[in-house]
Amino acid sequence: MIKKILIGTFLLVSLVSFAQEGTSSPYSYFGIGDIRFKGSLETRSMAGVGVEMDSIHLNIQNPASYSALKLTTFGVGASYSSTTLKTDKESVGTNRSTFDYLAVGVPMGKFGMAFGLIPYSSVGYRIESISNDPTIASKRNDGSGGLSKVFLGLGYMIKPGFSIGADIQYGFGKIESTSLEFIPTVPVGTRQKNRSELSGVNFNVGAMYETKINTKLNLYGSASYGFAANLNSDNMRQISTFDSNNFILDSLPTMRSKVGLKIPGKISLGAGIGEKRKWLIGTQLTFQGASDFDDNLGTAPSTDVIYKSYAKYAVGGYYIPNYNSFSSYFERIVYRGGFRYEKSGLIINSEDINDIALTVGAGFPITGVFSNVNLGLEVGKKGTTNSGLIQENYFNVSIGFSLNDKWFRKSKFD
């Protein structure tokens, strides 16, 4: 089943991922944009907690998990988001639909392999500062684009309950921004247009462990580390003048430059306790060093913007009433939930831009097979209205499919 839909889905999703505008956050103005990837829908519904090695679901966050797969697994997810952008004086609503991830995992005895496509970050904003004073310039900034990643990972089970893994990721994408400055009483304004083409390679390693505490309870542990990486940025900047009809009057020679953006290393540690195929509760802690993007992407540097270390704290888990029930479909549904708190590391006007969210979800098994349909809800708040900033109140609805099949079977009959 998977092989019949895999190629077509990859082509379709690749086109959609390049065409979509994945965010409406004004904070995507900074750095490489709004970091969107938060794991597969199963772990995202548990606020990002992924400490258990699952045989029929993909945990894209830790490559050590691939060795636990028993069936070839195809995972894909998408979201619809409704966001209210709020200041201390007014608010406005935005909506968008996005593709979240596509991945395939293949079991190979003690080994497991996975590959896929992840829209990693997105830029999508329009910021206006309109002056009523005819002697003061009005400004408008628009941005779009983002960074996507393709990955290939391999996991190996050293012994039952203990696995290690590694993956390689290639990032690519383009970020475009336009800045306009004009005075209504002056017939000529200025435009600055920037384009940055991004590319780079990074590596991740991970380990997962589980052991029995008693006949029912298991203890789970996970750790992963993403090495610091350099992201190449080929930049173009063009400055022009335009008239009241937005017609370009004159342009300076295009300025080009190549710079390296350093992406800091990231470490994630998790632990949990639970009963296999019944319930689990766990926690996940993630830390990353400070970024330093300066003016590399054409964003004007400001003393009011500081990049510090990133941190995420998450608690989540799942509950299955009776995964093997024949009499009740609802007893086989997987119920998930979690809570996360993120310190983005972005500080504007001395205010931390933090992200707090509550997540819930459910996995609905498809009768007769190991595949399932997953739904997730996320309610959260990012930013603040203090110091003239913007607060984002968002509500995300996500759907994901985890389809399972058995590849490489030997035919007993010709």
Side-chain angles (χ1 to χ4, degrees):
M1 175 179 66
I2 294 177
K3 287 182 283 187
K4 293 180 180 179
I5 64 174
L6 184 56
I7 296 177
T9 304
F10 259 113
L11 292 175
L12 175 62
V13 168
S14 296
L15 291 173
V16 172
S17 65
F18 287 120
Q20 69 174 342
E21 187 173 288
T23 184
S24 56
S25 172
Y27 297 113
S28 67
Y29 175 87
F30 302 97
I32 59 174
D34 188 23
I35 304 301
R36 288 176 44 211
F37 179 66
K38 301 183 185 299
S40 61
L41 183 52
E42 293 90 337
T43 57
R44 183 175 174 178
S45 297
M46 297 186 291
V49 174
V51 297
E52 183 182 19
M53 290 186 282
D54 199 319
S55 62
I56 60 172
H57 296 99
L58 280 168
N59 179 0
I60 309 173
Q61 295 166 293
N62 193 327
S65 66
Y66 305 151
S67 64
L69 292 173
K70 300 301 181 185
L71 296 170
T72 298
T73 303
F74 171 75
V76 63
S79 297
Y80 171 81
S81 178
S82 177
T83 304
T84 300
L85 304 176
K86 179 182 177 183
T87 68
D88 55 358
K89 296 180 180 179
E90 58 184 344
S91 64
V92 63
T94 66
N95 302 297
R96 70 184 187 278
S97 298
T98 59
F99 157 70
D100 294 333
Y101 64 92
L102 183 150
V104 177
V106 182
M108 300 182 296
K110 287 189 175 183
F111 288 90
M113 179 184 70
F115 56 92
L117 171 67
I118 303 167
Y120 181 74
S121 74
S122 288
V123 174
Y125 61 83
R126 170 170 289 186
I127 303 173
E128 294 183 330
S129 176
I130 305 299
S131 174
N132 293 322
D133 188 335
T135 63
I136 298 178
S138 296
K139 300 178 182 180
R140 192 180 80 186
N141 296 280
D142 298 272
S144 62
L147 181 70
S148 295
K149 290 185 177 183
V150 290
F151 72 92
L152 174 65
L154 191 68
Y156 175 69
M157 186 171 292
I158 296 178
K159 64 178 183 178
F162 181 45
S163 294
I164 58 174
D167 68 28
I168 180 173
Q169 300 181 0
Y170 174 72
F172 60 96
K174 180 171 62 176
I175 295 176
E176 295 181 315
S177 65
T178 302
S179 299
L180 303 177
E181 186 170 336
F182 57 93
I183 298 176
T185 57
V186 177
V188 178
T190 59
R191 184 193 75 172
Q192 178 177 294
K193 188 173 183 179
N194 303 291
R195 184 179 70 226
S196 298
E197 296 184 357
L198 308 173
S199 63
V201 176
N202 67 288
F203 300 89
N204 299 297
V205 295
M208 300 189 78
Y209 177 76
E210 64 179 62
T211 186
K212 280 190 169 294
I213 299 176
N214 54 41
T215 56
K216 286 189 175 183
L217 291 181
N218 291 336
L219 179 67
Y220 304 95
S222 71
S224 63
Y225 182 74
F227 291 94
N230 289 320
L231 194 63
N232 299 316
S233 178
D234 293 335
N235 301 323
M236 181 276 291
R237 175 175 295 173
Q238 186 181 65
I239 299 176
S240 309
T241 58
F242 64 94
D243 62 17
S244 57
N245 295 318
N246 291 325
F247 181 78
I248 300 300
L249 300 175
D250 193 16
S251 297
L252 295 175
T254 300
M255 295 176 284
R256 300 182 184 275
S257 64
K258 292 186 177 182
V259 297
L261 310 178
K262 186 175 181 181
I263 307 299
K266 178 187 288 188
I267 186 170
S268 182
L269 303 172
I273 188 172
E275 183 179 344
K276 201 77 169 180
R277 301 184 184 89
K278 183 68 175 181
W279 64 272
L280 177 141
I281 186 165
T283 184
Q284 197 98 21
L285 309 177
T286 305
F287 304 98
Q288 186 175 27
S291 300
D292 186 9
F293 292 113
D294 292 330
D295 194 27
N296 294 323
L297 298 178
T299 301
S302 171
T303 55
D304 296 330
V305 178
I306 301 172
Y307 296 98
K308 289 193 174 182
S309 299
Y310 165 92
K312 183 177 79 169
Y313 310 92
V315 177
Y318 70 78
Y319 174 71
I320 310 173
N322 184 358
Y323 85 97
N324 206 26
S325 175
F326 292 99
S327 59
S328 174
Y329 176 83
F330 292 98
E331 290 190 351
R332 291 188 284 123
I333 295 176
V334 184
Y335 301 94
R336 304 182 177 101
F339 173 81
R340 62 176 173 83
Y341 173 72
E342 289 185 72
K343 295 178 67 68
S344 70
L346 178 64
I347 300 176
I348 306 175
N349 298 340
S350 301
E351 297 287 344
D352 292 296
I353 308 303
N354 299 326
D355 191 346
I356 304 171
L358 180 69
T359 64
V360 294
F364 300 92
I366 301 175
T367 303
V369 293
F370 289 101
S371 302
N372 53 84
V373 179
N374 298 286
L375 295 178
L377 303 176
E378 186 176 35
V379 180
K381 180 184 73 172
K382 181 178 180 179
T384 176
T385 58
N386 296 335
S387 302
L389 299 178
I390 297 173
Q391 179 178 299
E392 302 174 17
N393 298 322
Y394 59 85
F395 177 78
N396 299 328
V397 181
S398 303
I399 183 170
F401 297 90
S402 184
L403 308 177
N404 303 100
D405 199 357
K406 190 172 184 179
W407 288 8
F408 312 116
R409 287 177 293 188
K410 293 183 178 180
S411 299
K412 295 184 179 180
F413 302 97
D414 293 330

